[in-house]
Amino acid sequence: MLPFSLQRRTAKSTSLDVAKAIRRARTLAEELVGLSDVDLRYHAERARQQTDLSPVHAITFAIEAIRRTLQITAYDRQLEAALMMADGSLAEMQTGEGKTLTGAIAAILHAMQSRHVHVATTNEYLARRDHELLTPVFKSLGLATGLSTADQSVTEKQLAYASDVVFATGYQLGFDYLRDQLTLASRPGYRLGQRLLQQLQGSESNNDGVCQRGHEVAIIDEVDSVLIDEAMTPLVLSGALHHDHSNVKNEATISPFRIAREYVMSFREGADFRISFYDRSIALTSTGTQRAMEFLQLQATPLNLDDPWQQYIQSALRAEYLLRRDVDYVVRDDEVQIVDGSTGRIVPDRQWRGGLHQAVETKERVTLTQPRQTLARMSRQRYFARYQTLSGMTGTASGHDREWRQVYGLSVKSIATRLPSQRTEFPTLYVANIEQKLTAIIGEVLRCTRVGQPVLIGTRTIEQTRLVANSLLHARINHRMLNGVQDETEASLIATAGRARSVTVATNMAGRGTDIVLDQAAIAAGGLHVIGFERNLSPRIDRQLLGRAARQGQPGGGRFFVAPEDELVARYDTSLGKSLTRLTTPTNNSNWDRRVMNLQRRSEQERYELRQQTAKQEEWLNELRHYVA
C-alpha cells in the first residue's frame, strides 16, 4: 500500500498556495524513500490511473525519482517554476538556476496525469543530452521517453512519439508535423477528419506513416529563443527540384548562376541597383533592369533558365553585397552552410530559397546543389499554437509580455534566484574604432587573468570570434574558440571556460544551455568575467550573455564595448558613430548608455513587427490554400 493516500485531494495549480504545496510534497516524498524501485514504479503507475491526480502528488513522485536516480535534491525554486509551467505559464529563471531539472519536473507533472509531453530544446545536442540524462528519472516512474532527430527513419520516429515524453528541437517537432501532413495529403481519397474518425472508432493503424500522436503539452527550454528569436523564420519543408537538362551538353560551363555573377560585377551601385542595409534588401533600378534584359537577349549561348532572368541577377547581387562569409554562412567540406542569425549556430540542413543559395555557392566556387521547392510551410507561431498546454522557461522572458499574451496566450512568472546574486555589471566602454576596441579588450583580459579570473568573450558573429582570437594570439594569450565551426562539442569547450585564468571566445549563443562550472581558484579570484564584443540588437541577448557569469550566488561580472562599426550603431544611429570616432581613449558615458538602450528598443519593436508580418503572411497563405483546395 502507498505510504500516503492519493485521496487527499489538492486544488489545481491555479489556486495552489505554492509554498504550502511544496512543503506538503516534500513531506509526502519522505514517505517514498523507503520503497524499493519496483514498489515506487508500481505506485507511480497506479497513481497515473487516477483521473484527478493533484499536482502535489505528482510533484511528490518527481522529487523522489530525481533523488533516487540522479542523487540530486530539487530546489524549492525549481518546484515552484515547475508548478507555474504545469499551469501553462512561462517561468523566468535566471541562468544557472537548474532549468533542465525544472523542465523534467514539469514534464512529470503532466505525464503523471496521462498527457503526452513534447520537450523542445534549441539544438539537437541539448535534446540528446537531456534525453540521456533524464530517461532514468522517467523510467523509475514507469514513464517512457523518446528522442526525435533529423536522421531517423519513420519507424524510429513513430517509436519516439509513442512515448510519454518526447525530446526534440523546436524546429524538429515542426518538421515532423509538416511531414505528417504531407503523408496524409498524399493518400488517395483521404478526407478531412478521416483520421479523427478512425481514432474514435479505434481502427487507426499505428504504421500509417504518421509519427506525431497529437499536441497535448509542450515544454520549451530557452523559450524566448524558440518562440521569439526564431519566429521570423517559418518552418519550411523542401525537396530538391528535378529538371531535365538532357539538352544541355555542358551545364557547368553555362550555369545561369555563374553568368549572372560575372555580369553583375559590372553593375554600379546607385545607377544599376540600390542596397538597403536597413532591411537587408537589394533592388534593381530601371536602368539595371533594362541592362539585365538586354544582356539576356544578346547572350550567344542559350541559358537553361528555371526562373526569370531578373531573379538570377538579384540573387547574384544579394550574394555579393549582402551575405558575408563567417557572418551569414560558413564554407565547410565544399558546402555553403547557413549560420542562424539569432543563435549564431550553423544549420547545415537549411538552404536559402529562390536560387540565392546557388548564387552564394557560385560566389564561393563550391559544388552547386540542386535548387529546392517548398513542399510545406508553417509559422512557428501557428505550430506551437496547436498545443493544448504550452509552457516554457528562460532567463529572459520579461520585456515581451504583450507578445507572449497576444500570440501565445501566456503569462510570465518570475522565479527568484535561490541565492542572492553577486553579479557586477561594469559600465559600457565606448571606443573610436575596432582596433581601439581590440586593444581595450586585450587589456581587460590581461587584468582579469593576472588575478586568476576566467574570461568569456561573447561575439555576434563567427567572423568576430576569429578577429578576437587573432588579437589574443598576437598578444600571446592562450585561449579556446567556440563558434560552431569546430568538430569538438560545445559542452567540452564550455566545460573549460570556468577554469582559473582560462580565456574562451564564443559567439553569444554558443554553449547556451550548458553550465560553465567554476573551479575553486576561479571563484576565489572573483568568478567568471564576461566581455561583450558589442551591444546586440536585442537587450535580451545582452542579458543572456552577461547571465553566464555569477550563477548560483557565485561572484562574477561583465562589461560591453561599443564601436561605430557595431551593427546596432551603424544601422540605427550613424551620428552616434561619428561622435565615437572622435574618441582618443575608451570612455564610459551614461547619456550614450541611454541612447543605446533606445536603439535596442527600436530594434526590438521592428523585430516584433516582422514577427507579426510573418504570422499574418502565414495566415493568408493558409487561407489561400484552403480556398484553392
Side-chain angles (χ1 to χ4, degrees), residues 137 212 345 402 406 489 516 529 574 617:
V137 177
Q212 291 187 345
R345 300 182 189 279
R402 178 180 62 167
Q406 291 180 350
T489 64
I516 297 177
H529 184 74
T574 54
Q617 182 186 39

Side-chain angles (χ1 to χ4, degrees), residues 184-205:
L184 292 172
S186 66
R187 295 177 185 168
Y190 199 93
R191 300 187 306 278
L192 185 65
Q194 184 174 339
R195 189 177 185 220
L196 175 61
L197 181 61
Q198 289 177 344
Q199 288 175 329
L200 295 174
Q201 294 173 342
S203 60
E204 184 189 28
S205 170

Side-chain angles (χ1 to χ4, degrees), residues 252-472:
T253 62
I254 60 170
S255 162
F257 298 105
R258 181 179 64 80
I259 298 297
R261 182 170 191 272
E262 290 177 357
Y263 186 57
V264 301
M265 299 309 290
S266 67
F267 274 36
R268 295 163 298 164
E269 184 179 354
D272 299 310
F273 66 94
R274 295 189 182 92
I275 300 175
S276 172
F277 291 102
Y278 184 74
D279 59 0
R280 290 174 65 83
S281 65
I282 199 160
L284 290 172
T285 63
S286 57
T287 302
T289 301
Q290 182 178 351
R291 285 189 63 193
M293 299 313 297
E294 288 176 351
F295 173 83
L296 181 62
Q297 293 168 1
L298 296 173
Q299 179 70 18
T301 307
L303 295 177
N304 191 29
L305 301 180
D306 298 318
D307 295 300
W309 173 240
Q310 187 172 327
Q311 185 171 322
Y312 288 91
I313 294 293
Q314 288 180 315
S315 293
L317 288 169
R318 285 194 66 193
E320 188 65 31
Y321 294 103
L322 290 180
L323 298 180
R324 293 165 53 196
R325 184 168 177 167
D326 292 337
V327 177
D328 302 293
Y329 64 92
V330 297
V331 178
R332 294 196 304 182
D333 303 324
D334 195 43
E335 289 182 7
V336 169
Q337 298 180 345
I338 296 176
V339 175
D340 188 294
S342 301
T343 65
R345 300 182 189 279
I346 296 169
V347 280
D349 57 343
R350 188 179 296 176
Q351 186 181 100
W352 286 300
R353 290 176 289 162
L356 180 58
H357 202 86
Q358 289 68 36
V360 175
E361 290 171 331
T362 301
K363 168 187 172 182
E364 296 296 342
R365 300 174 184 245
V366 301
T367 303
L368 287 185
T369 57
Q370 183 73 247
R372 298 180 183 178
Q373 64 176 334
T374 298
L375 302 176
R377 62 174 284 156
M378 190 179 207
S379 69
R380 295 167 198 260
Q381 297 96 320
R382 221 174 114 232
Y383 172 72
F384 283 102
R386 299 186 62 81
Y387 285 90
Q388 297 171 22
T389 300
L390 180 65
S391 63
M393 51 198 168
T394 181
T396 48
S398 58
H400 292 270
D401 301 73
R402 178 180 62 167
E403 187 167 1
W404 293 128
R405 183 176 60 256
Q406 291 180 350
V407 178
Y408 300 104
L410 296 168
S411 59
V412 177
K413 307 292 185 183
S414 294
I415 308 299
T417 56
R418 187 175 65 91
L419 298 171
S421 175
Q422 297 188 51
R423 184 178 301 121
T424 302
E425 183 172 357
F426 297 95
T428 295
L429 284 182
Y430 296 87
V431 295
N433 49 52
I434 292 294
E435 290 73 23
Q436 192 179 90
K437 178 189 285 189
L438 290 168
T439 300
I441 287 175
I442 294 300
E444 185 135 342
V445 170
L446 288 172
R447 284 193 297 273
C448 292
T449 54
R450 282 194 192 107
V451 298
Q453 274 189 286
V455 178
L456 173 66
I457 305 172
T459 69
R460 184 175 55 83
T461 68
I462 293 172
E463 181 183 51
Q464 289 174 350
T465 62
R466 290 175 171 160
L467 186 65
V468 173
N470 285 336
S471 295
L472 292 169

Side-chain angles (χ1 to χ4, degrees), residues 116-136:
H116 292 287
V117 181
H118 294 170
V119 179
T121 64
T122 55
N123 63 72
E124 192 170 299
Y125 162 73
L126 293 176
R128 289 183 183 276
R129 183 203 68 179
D130 293 354
H131 175 255
E132 181 179 347
L133 172 69
L134 299 173
T135 288

